[in-house]
Amino acid sequence: MNLTAQQKFFNKNILISGGLGFIGSNLAIKLVGLGANVTVIDNLVPEYGGNTWNIESIKDKISINVADVRDEKIMQRLIQGQDYFFNLAGQTSHLDSMINPFVDLEINAKAQLSILEECRKFNPAIKIVFASTRQIYGKPQYLPVDEKHPLVPVDVNGINKLAGEMYHVLYNKVYNIKTSVLRLTNTYGPRMRIKDARQTFLGIWIRNLLENKPITIFGDGSQLRDYNYIDDVVDAFLLVAGSDVWNGSIFNLGNRNPVSLETTAKIMIDEYKAGRYIFTPFPEELKKIDIGDFYSDYSKIKTNLGWNPEVSIDAGFKKTIEYFRKNYEFYV
Ligand SMILES: NC(=O)c1ccc[n+]([C@@H]2O[C@H](COP(=O)([O-])OP(=O)(O)OC[C@H]3O[C@@H](n4cnc5c(N)ncnc54)[C@H](O)[C@@H]3O)[C@@H](O)[C@H]2O)c1
């Protein structure tokens, strides 16, 4: 990120929903470093990725609200006076969205609409970046998947996240609220949830490594994924936030080097210098909502905003494993 982009956030008021979670906390740490006045809201539901240890290094420098984005009164209050809003609070588990579809609907769709209404009424000048997901494409009809790919979500979470992002695009079109959307692929790094596979299978793989248990790969391990290291994703959020030319736009993130699940496991084991993996058939409930191979075409954000993932998968897993070796007790 260039200096002008960095200067954009100095002394700015910034709200991060889901700010105690994986991506939100890393964003908060970066923004505090850039001299921003950061406020976070997070409901700390134990099944989600929120964790107070995530913001240990900045806890005295930010304003923390343990509250729910579904609470309109609180959101109304928090939105006022903010220059930027990174909208990351979400129910992220695909399987949980099938088990409790209405909770997912409330957080990922209904609350998004009410948040936008609060912005329209109480802070129409705010700039919002919404965290969407590649899950909304469903099973790829071609690879790499660009932003024009048909949207055919395979689970309730994908449908609700799609509604959430479409509300953001609509509020730009109709009310001129400055919104942009990032469609994230599998993101990993320090502060991710490793307790279980709710956030991503990579989380439980890391936990298993650290506990000397085998990594369990569903299927034959040939499935392809394009991962992004957290620092690259944080940079993308800041780039998009800092550019008003792309209001109302949607950008894929991704990686030019997709790797198979088996290769991913091998890289993690190499970086940890120990461990092993086993194959097991896909559990039936996961098979039904699995999207197969996925990697995205992220040339739109690359061409227009100069974003490119910089951290290699080896370096990324090295840093991630180092972090969790030191901080294991706070994440399990
Ligand atoms: N991590 C990924 O690989 C990935 C991929 C695609 C999309 N995303 C999106 O990025 C965003 C952040 O994801 P993350 O990986 O940091 O997950 P995360 O679970 O660590 O972060 C989400 C945070 O939102 C909080 N939250 C959930 N519901 C809330 C509510 N109703 N009110 C207040 N706080 C609430 C959770 O407590 C959690 O801290 C999510 O919207 C997710 O859909 C993430």
Side-chain angles (χ1 to χ4, degrees), residues 284-299:
E284 213 38 52
E285 70 277 17
L286 285 179
K287 198 173 177 183
K288 285 189 188 138
I289 59 172
D290 181 57
I291 59 167
D293 290 343
F294 186 97
Y295 50 96
S296 83
D297 176 341
Y298 62 91
S299 49

Side-chain angles (χ1 to χ4, degrees), residues 22 186-189 191-211 214-216 227 264 268 317 320-321 324 328 331-332:
F22 166 40
N186 280 97
T187 307
Y188 70 99
R191 303 178 183 81
M192 68 196 285
R193 181 182 174 95
I194 61 162
K195 202 174 263 184
D196 49 35
R198 280 199 160 85
Q199 193 173 74
T200 156
F201 63 92
L202 294 172
I204 191 66
W205 284 19
I206 289 170
R207 180 174 186 172
N208 285 351
L209 262 190
L210 295 169
E211 293 177 356
I215 288 172
T216 304
Y227 310 106
T264 310
M268 285 167 71
F317 276 119
T320 307
I321 288 167
F324 284 108
Y328 168 81
Y331 289 91
V332 292

Side-chain angles (χ1 to χ4, degrees), residues 17-252:
S17 69
L20 301 180
F22 166 40
I23 300 172
S25 61
N26 281 288
L27 198 50
I29 291 166
K30 175 83 179 196
L31 284 162
V32 166
L34 296 176
N37 310 314
V38 175
T39 299
V40 300
I41 173 168
D42 200 298
N43 66 0
L44 283 181
V45 165
E47 289 77 22
Y48 301 166
N51 185 333
T52 50
W53 187 252
N54 282 345
I55 47 101
E56 178 63 17
S57 61
I58 53 163
K59 67 177 185 223
D60 300 326
K61 298 181 180 150
I62 63 174
S63 160
I64 301 166
N65 298 268
V66 177
D68 202 295
V69 296
R70 287 170 284 185
D71 186 329
E72 291 173 21
K73 287 236 156 56
I74 284 171
M75 285 312 287
Q76 192 185 107
R77 179 170 61 78
L78 290 181
I79 272 162
Q80 295 182 43
Q82 304 292 348
D83 299 302
Y84 296 92
F85 172 34
F86 293 96
N87 189 2
L88 276 74
Q91 195 298 112
T92 63
S93 163
H94 302 296
L95 193 55
D96 287 356
S97 81
M98 304 307 292
I99 297 163
N100 291 312
F102 294 105
V103 173
D104 194 276
L105 176 72
E106 275 176 28
I107 300 173
N108 289 332
K110 185 170 177 243
Q112 302 311 315
L113 184 56
S114 70
I115 286 169
L116 285 160
E117 272 295 282
E118 304 306 335
C119 290
R120 182 177 72 80
K121 289 183 202 152
F122 299 100
N123 188 355
I126 198 168
K127 166 85 193 215
I128 310 173
V129 186
F130 177 70
S132 184
T133 169
R134 58 127 165 84
Q135 192 71 6
I136 66 171
Y137 293 116
K139 262 188 214 313
Q141 297 175 17
Y142 57 84
L143 288 164
V145 173
D146 59 14
E147 290 87 351
K148 296 194 177 79
H149 185 286
L151 303 172
V152 194
V154 294
D155 55 30
V156 167
N157 180 259
I159 293 176
N160 294 334
K161 289 293 283 190
L162 175 57
E165 69 156 61
M166 285 294 125
Y167 291 140
H168 283 76
V169 174
L170 183 80
Y171 270 60
N172 174 259
K173 226 182 234 163
V174 178
Y175 301 117
N176 235 359
I177 309 279
K178 295 178 280 181
T179 63
S180 298
V181 172
L182 287 179
R183 287 183 183 156
L184 274 50
T185 184
N186 280 97
T187 307
Y188 70 99
R191 303 178 183 81
M192 68 196 285
R193 181 182 174 95
I194 61 162
K195 202 174 263 184
D196 49 35
R198 280 199 160 85
Q199 193 173 74
T200 156
F201 63 92
L202 294 172
I204 191 66
W205 284 19
I206 289 170
R207 180 174 186 172
N208 285 351
L209 262 190
L210 295 169
E211 293 177 356
N212 298 318
K213 293 179 186 154
I215 288 172
T216 304
I217 302 176
F218 295 147
D220 65 4
S222 65
Q223 209 172 59
L224 294 173
R225 283 287 179 273
D226 58 342
Y227 310 106
N228 281 145
Y229 184 67
I230 182 66
D231 291 0
D232 286 326
V233 172
V234 165
D235 281 352
F237 272 97
L238 298 187
L239 268 178
V240 171
S243 162
D244 277 338
V245 181
W246 294 95
N247 289 336
S249 293
I250 295 170
F251 296 98
N252 277 350

